Amino acid sequence: MSSLIVMRSTPYGNTNAKDALDVALTLAAFEQEPALLYEGRGVLQLLLSSQMDTPFKHLGKILSALPMYDIEHIYIDKDSLTECGIDAKQLQNLPVQCRLLDATQVSDLFQQHQHVMVF
Amino acid sequence: MNPLSYCLVVRCGPNQQSQALSAFEFARELLAQGHRLERVFFYQQGVLTASSLRTPAQGELNITHQWQQLQEQHPFGLDVCIAAALQNGIVDENESQRYQLHSHNLASGFELAGLGQLASATATCDRVITFGANV
């Protein structure tokens, strides 16, 4: 009975990134162990050091809270990184551990979850 | 046919007409086919659907009224995310008093709820269907 939350939006273009993390944190608080997948332009959310000060809550702060909520299944679509011109080395300082997946593994991930919510 | 339990998540505003309407029509149809609708959860811009002050132009569909009428026929939860509601100026009497606002506008039949209601729906419903995801 697990949920996969797919992060597909740019970090601050709308509230999707934050709203998705709010859903993830709530599911975790209800002990449902949600998984997160960053794909498409959603991988830009992971470039934390390039995000300027905004009047909104910095996504890095929320990301660092994920381990406290036992959210440990965090995945990144490898092809999306390439498409956005991001080198995996740029993600070394993330406050959470993420696993890089190829296209087949991403497809398996969708199969493994009962509910999928795309943000 | 095995009846399934559904939770719908509405994330678009009431004026994103085709998406807002799709959500409503999907709800009406699944009930007509004998499935169970546990709750509709309004999130992000979807919370604007719950304003009792919406006044569409004459001759246009009022989606707020449509949800209210459907809920009168088939009891299901019309849950409005409280955090998104407050950000978008949708308040009930309690919140109006708590924040010392001069009025309240949550349409009858709708209830302010936490994201926990969505979490409980993902735990118990066979299907969770999202409408109006702006990605």
Side-chain angles (χ1 to χ4, degrees):
Chain A
M1 298 293 271
S2 57
S3 298
L4 173 66
I5 297 176
V6 184
M7 316 293 281
R8 213 178 265 169
S9 306
T10 52
Y12 300 97
N14 53 32
T15 59
N16 275 345
K18 180 174 181 300
D19 291 341
L21 289 170
D22 282 346
V23 170
L25 293 172
T26 309
L27 291 178
F30 281 72
E31 294 177 352
Q32 291 187 31
E33 299 184 21
L36 294 185
L37 167 67
Y38 287 86
E39 67 166 17
R41 286 178 295 173
V43 296
L44 297 170
Q45 292 176 30
L46 299 169
L47 295 177
L48 297 171
S49 56
S50 72
Q51 293 170 18
M52 293 187 298
D53 280 341
T54 66
F56 312 108
K57 195 163 186 175
H58 196 277
L59 291 175
K61 284 191 184 147
I62 314 179
L63 274 184
S64 0
L66 297 184
M68 277 187 287
Y69 283 78
D70 293 327
I71 298 180
E72 281 157 359
H73 301 284
I74 306 173
Y75 306 97
I76 304 172
D77 172 41
K78 214 187 286 179
D79 292 345
S80 302
L81 286 186
T82 317
E83 281 161 25
C84 290
I86 301 171
D87 192 320
K89 283 186 200 133
Q90 288 174 265
L91 306 179
Q92 272 170 352
N93 295 324
L94 281 179
V96 288
Q97 279 204 330
C98 303
R99 231 185 97 197
L100 289 179
L101 302 184
D102 63 28
T104 320
Q105 290 169 314
V106 168
S107 153
D108 289 345
L109 193 66
F110 278 86
Q111 296 287 335
Q112 288 157 10
H113 289 87
Q114 193 196 359
H115 301 301
V116 177
M117 282 184 258
V118 181
F119 283 84
Chain B
M1 182 200 69
N2 237 353
L4 297 173
S5 58
Y6 281 83
C7 167
L8 305 190
V9 184
V10 179
R11 285 165 47 189
C12 59
N15 294 322
Q16 278 159 284
Q17 294 173 356
S18 70
Q19 299 186 63
L21 192 59
S22 294
F24 172 74
E25 289 182 338
F26 188 87
R28 191 174 55 189
E29 186 58 26
L30 76 87
L31 289 165
Q33 291 195 13
H35 297 291
R36 204 162 59 79
L37 179 55
E38 191 164 299
R39 72 181 75 249
V40 182
F41 190 83
F42 295 88
Y43 193 37
Q44 298 186 308
Q45 300 297 303
V47 300
L48 295 170
T49 313
S51 168
S52 62
L53 302 177
R54 296 190 57 247
T55 317
Q58 210 171 12
E60 284 185 14
L61 184 80
N62 188 330
I63 197 86
T64 307
H65 290 169
Q66 298 287 310
W67 280 117
Q68 287 170 319
Q69 284 166 17
L70 189 66
Q71 189 210 31
E72 278 168 21
Q73 296 154 21
H74 310 265
F76 56 84
L78 285 173
D79 291 340
V80 182
C81 173
I82 185 165
L86 290 171
Q87 278 170 12
N88 284 286
I90 308 293
V91 287
D92 65 5
E93 206 171 342
N94 275 340
E95 297 306 308
S96 176
Q97 280 169 9
R98 188 198 313 265
Y99 292 98
Q100 298 177 343
L101 306 174
H102 55 76
S103 61
H104 52 89
N105 62 343
L106 185 74
S108 63
F110 291 82
E111 269 182 81
L112 296 185
L115 275 171
Q117 293 288 16
L118 179 61
S120 107
T122 59
T124 59
C125 291
D126 298 310
R127 299 283 186 272
V128 176
I129 316 272
T130 300
F131 289 86
N134 177 24
V135 289

